[in-house]
Every structure is written in C-alpha cells, then in structure tokens.
Amino acid sequence: MDQIINNNLTLIRTATRGDFANCIKHIKGLKSVLLTINKLALDNAEFNKVVSGSYTLKMSEKALYEAQTLKFKASYSANKFKALLQMVALTGAIKSASFEDLSYAERAKRVKSYEMAKQTGHYVNYPRVWVVGDLSMADFSRIKGHKPLLLNYTAVTTIFGMSVANQVFNDASSTGDSDHMLLNHNPAVTISKYLSVKKDGLMPVTDVADLLYRVSGHAKSLKYWQTTLRVLVEYNALSNIEAVSLGSAGLSIKGLRKNTKVLRLIDPVSATDNDDEPLKIQAVYQYNFEEYLEDLHADIDKSKADKAKQANDDKNGITVTDEMLPF
C-alpha cells in the first residue's frame, strides 16, 4: 500500500520536465519540504484509518517544521516553511483535512475526548491531519513562477475557489468556529474604480489594502487585507492592474520613496465598466464541537424516541396503512 508514496519519492528525485520539475528547480526549499513530508509518510502515515482511502499524517505545522533537515532549518524560518507548506497544499500534493473528512472512529475519539475535557478541564490538543496525495496528480501549474508567500483564505478563494482554499486551510484540530472571509467578486473591480479617479491611475499598495479593509466593514485586520492584496498581486489575480515601484515606472509622488510599491490601472474603461456591484464579504464557518455535540445528542435522543414509539406501536399491534403515509 506504500506504492503511491514510493512513486512520489521517485518523482521528486528524478523529474526533469513539466510544471512539477520546473517548480522544484526554481522554488527554493520546495524539493526539501516534499521529500521530508513523503519520507515521514512512508514511515508514519496511516492508511484508511483517519481519512477513508487516504494516507494521513497527524502532525502540527510546528512538528512538520521540526522534522525538516538541519540544513533546511538553518536556511528557512518557520514562517518561510509555512509559506512553502501552503504552496504544496495549493497544488493538492497534500491536503489539510477537516473534522468532517475524518473517519467515524477518529471523530468519535475526538468527540469523546472533548466531552471528557468539558467535565475535567483537561483538553487534548489534537494535531492537524494532512492527507498525502499522489504527486503525479497534483496541479503544480498553480504555483509555477511564483514565490512562497503566507496565504489567507480570502485570497486563495478569490484566485482558485473554495475547494482549493479548504485543502489549504481546513483544520481538524480546531474546536471552535473558524471564520473565513469570502468576497462576492474579485476585488479588482473595486480597486479599479478607485484607481480610475486617482492621478495617473495609481495608488500605494498600503493605501489599497486600507481601502479593502474599510470596504469590508473592518472585517479581520488591516494586516489581513495587506496579505490578501500581496497574494492577489503575486498570483496576477488583479486584471487590468499592475504592481510596480515608483522608480521603475518613472513616476514620483511627493513624500514617497522611489522604491514604494504602487498599483497602477492599465485599462480604465474595461476595468470599471464590467460590474456595478459593491464589494461585500461574508464569513464561512467551519464546524463547532459544541454545536456538533448538540446535534449528535439530539440525533441520539430522536433515535431513542423513535425506537420507543416503534416498540409501543408493536406492542399495541398498530399497523401502518397507506392512509397514514404523508405521500
């Protein structure tokens, strides 16, 4: 059953063509991360136990970083590793499992532990669950030509959609609501309209992030929207907008240095005429153990009540007829 992992290791060491080979050649640190994860999977992964039909590693991001080689850790910080790990998850080579993805046995174990913790106050910190997939099926075109950046759910959803964002940010170890911000459309529309009334159609990146922060109704933090914007720029998700430094563009703004990053509108007409809908956000919530337990106990109570009613009906000889059916 280890054939997929062995094939992954062979591919990492021998690939010479295609998007995968290009990425491990040009994205520094990526090859080392992939090798370490698959070596860990070969030794420690569980198959078909934690997530049905999958190889899984139960490890926190910190534990995964500590498992990297000494040479890697000497060159890359924990944050740099996290950015590389998120990149790998973007491709689907690994996926972070949600609570709902877990097998019945694994969910039952965590629920029982949580119920015990509510009574005793001693909580068990379960690690994240990583599904290790087939590298030959992963989509490395998503990260080809890009540099590792810390991502967030809003940016990834805007660029690649919710399913890809979920495989990066799902967290089966969490016990509370995790609010993820969704945008109702690409923020390029809002930014384009704002840039169109600015001199030279440009604006410092920090000011654009502040615009998104205010338009969102101050959801999350300014830093969160700066990260969102940085990722959208890196992955070329802002159509008709380019990111340049003032100096490279031959421009100047009083009070700003020449190396200040700005966003510049390329085509004002097509960028501002395609949508009149204002930028809105909504929060998407993951599971909550409290609510899960309430629903679970409600289902148990209903099942008991149904069984008791059925037993009573059988005792009294009640027969169900067509007239009693609701359809």
Side-chain angles (χ1 to χ4, degrees):
M1 299 302 294
D2 296 334
Q3 192 58 49
I4 290 177
I5 307 301
N6 281 316
N7 288 346
N8 286 349
L9 289 168
T10 300
L11 187 62
I12 295 167
R13 294 182 176 117
T14 62
T16 57
R17 288 187 288 181
D19 292 333
F20 175 69
N22 181 283
C23 288
I24 60 175
K25 179 180 179 180
H26 295 291
I27 302 175
K28 292 182 179 179
L30 183 65
K31 183 175 182 178
S32 180
V33 171
L34 284 169
L35 272 172
T36 302
I37 288 174
N38 279 277
K39 286 178 180 177
L40 285 169
L42 195 61
D43 295 333
N44 305 315
E46 297 176 283
F47 181 76
N48 206 33
K49 290 183 179 179
V50 182
V51 177
S52 179
S54 301
Y55 290 96
T56 52
L57 282 172
K58 292 192 284 188
M59 297 180 75
S60 65
E61 286 180 3
K62 181 179 180 181
L64 282 174
Y65 176 65
E66 291 302 323
Q68 302 300 307
T69 64
L70 292 175
K71 182 180 179 181
F72 179 92
K73 288 184 285 187
S75 303
Y76 301 95
S77 66
N79 271 347
K80 186 74 170 183
F81 166 74
K82 182 176 182 177
L84 286 165
L85 188 67
Q86 289 179 337
M87 266 190 137
V88 174
L90 269 185
T91 70
I94 62 171
K95 299 178 182 179
S96 186
S98 70
F99 179 75
E100 290 86 349
D101 292 329
L102 303 181
S103 65
Y104 175 80
E106 185 69 19
R107 275 182 289 157
K109 182 170 65 175
R110 295 186 180 214
V111 167
K112 183 177 180 181
S113 174
Y114 187 69
E115 286 192 301
M116 289 289 291
K118 285 175 64 180
Q119 299 171 21
T120 63
H122 298 293
Y123 286 84
V124 176
N125 292 319
Y126 283 99
R128 291 180 75 175
V129 175
W130 302 93
V131 175
V132 183
D134 184 346
L135 272 180
S136 66
M137 302 298 291
D139 187 356
F140 279 83
S141 67
R142 290 175 183 154
I143 65 172
K144 182 181 177 182
H146 298 296
K147 59 186 178 183
L149 290 177
L150 288 175
L151 310 174
N152 65 31
Y153 193 89
T154 304
V156 176
T157 304
T158 301
I159 301 166
F160 299 109
M162 282 184 67
S163 62
V164 175
N166 287 338
Q167 72 189 29
V168 179
F169 293 100
N170 277 338
D171 188 353
S173 66
S174 178
T175 59
D177 283 331
S178 300
D179 57 324
H180 293 320
M181 298 294 109
L182 285 180
L183 301 177
N184 63 329
H185 59 63
N186 194 312
V189 176
T190 298
I191 297 170
S192 296
K193 290 180 179 180
Y194 201 74
L195 291 177
S196 67
V197 298
K198 290 290 184 179
K199 182 181 178 182
D200 297 320
L202 59 85
M203 191 176 174
V205 171
T206 51
D207 290 352
V208 178
D210 182 65
L211 167 68
L212 292 178
Y213 177 53
R214 287 185 283 112
V215 169
S216 73
H218 293 182
K220 293 291 188 179
S221 64
L222 177 58
K223 184 178 179 180
Y224 182 90
W225 292 102
Q226 289 172 339
T227 297
T228 302
L229 189 60
R230 193 178 300 119
V231 175
L232 292 174
V233 168
E234 172 61 30
Y235 284 84
N236 306 311
L238 300 176
S239 56
N240 299 308
I241 297 171
E242 64 176 351
V244 296
S245 65
L246 284 174
S248 66
L251 301 167
S252 64
I253 297 178
K254 187 176 180 180
L256 296 180
R257 296 178 179 179
K258 287 191 174 183
N259 63 353
T260 299
K261 291 287 186 181
V262 298
L263 295 185
R264 181 168 61 179
L265 192 59
I266 299 171
D267 186 356
V269 175
S270 64
T272 57
D273 286 349
N274 57 0
D275 199 338
D276 292 325
E277 186 181 8
L279 185 69
K280 297 176 183 177
I281 68 159
Q282 68 180 87
V284 178
Y285 294 95
Q286 292 184 316
Y287 76 95
N288 179 292
F289 262 138
E290 295 286 356
E291 293 177 5
Y292 182 85
L293 289 175
E294 288 178 7
D295 291 342
L296 187 66
H297 288 305
D299 288 341
I300 292 172
D301 292 341
K302 183 178 183 302
S303 178
K304 288 180 179 178
D306 288 345
K307 287 181 179 178
K309 184 178 183 302
Q310 183 62 53
N312 187 60
D313 289 347
D314 292 342
K315 182 180 179 181
N316 295 319
I318 297 176
T319 302
V320 177
T321 63
D322 289 344
E323 290 76 13
M324 297 169 65
L325 297 174
F327 49 84

